[in-house]
């Protein structure tokens, strides 16, 4: 039991560590719950994950609105 606790203690990063990669910083946002006027949910991702999500959404929008295509398929 004590060995397991010591192993866990070594795996926990120091909260004040300044050498952390800025892309690994966690950012949380509150999103509206669909179908509710008052409920919200908290969604947390790293900065890198938020950037990936935004990039995929942008790529998908470009694919959808690309001239000469319908739902991404050539006519």
């Amino acid at each position: 039991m004590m060995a397991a606790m010591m192993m866990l203690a070594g795996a926990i990063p120091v909260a004040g560590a300044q050498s952390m990669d800025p892309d690994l910083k966690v950012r949380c946002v509150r999103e509206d719950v669909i179908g509710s006027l008052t409920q919200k949910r908290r969604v947390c991702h790293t900065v890198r994950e938020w950037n990936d999500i935004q990039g995929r959404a942008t790529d998908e929008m470009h694919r959808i609105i690309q001239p000469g295509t319908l739902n991404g398929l050539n006519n």
Side-chain angles (χ1 to χ4, degrees):
M1 176 81 170
M2 187 62 131
M5 290 176 60
M6 290 177 72
M7 287 175 54
L8 286 175
I12 299 171
V14 178
Q18 296 298 325
S19 63
M20 184 181 229
D21 183 2
D23 283 345
L24 298 179
K25 185 176 180 179
V26 175
R27 188 177 66 173
C28 299
V29 297
R30 293 184 99 36
E31 292 184 346
D32 295 331
V33 174
I34 295 175
S36 173
L37 298 176
T38 59
Q39 285 187 338
K40 299 199 182 295
R41 69 181 181 153
R42 185 176 166 144
V43 180
C44 299
H45 293 286
T46 64
V47 171
R48 183 178 296 155
E49 290 171 335
W50 282 117
N51 290 339
D52 289 344
I53 291 167
Q54 180 65 40
R56 285 193 309 267
T58 300
D59 291 345
E60 185 65 14
M61 289 304 300
H62 286 187
R63 186 188 67 79
I64 290 170
I65 63 173
Q66 184 177 6
T69 63
L70 176 63
N71 295 331
L73 302 173
N74 290 330
N75 289 333

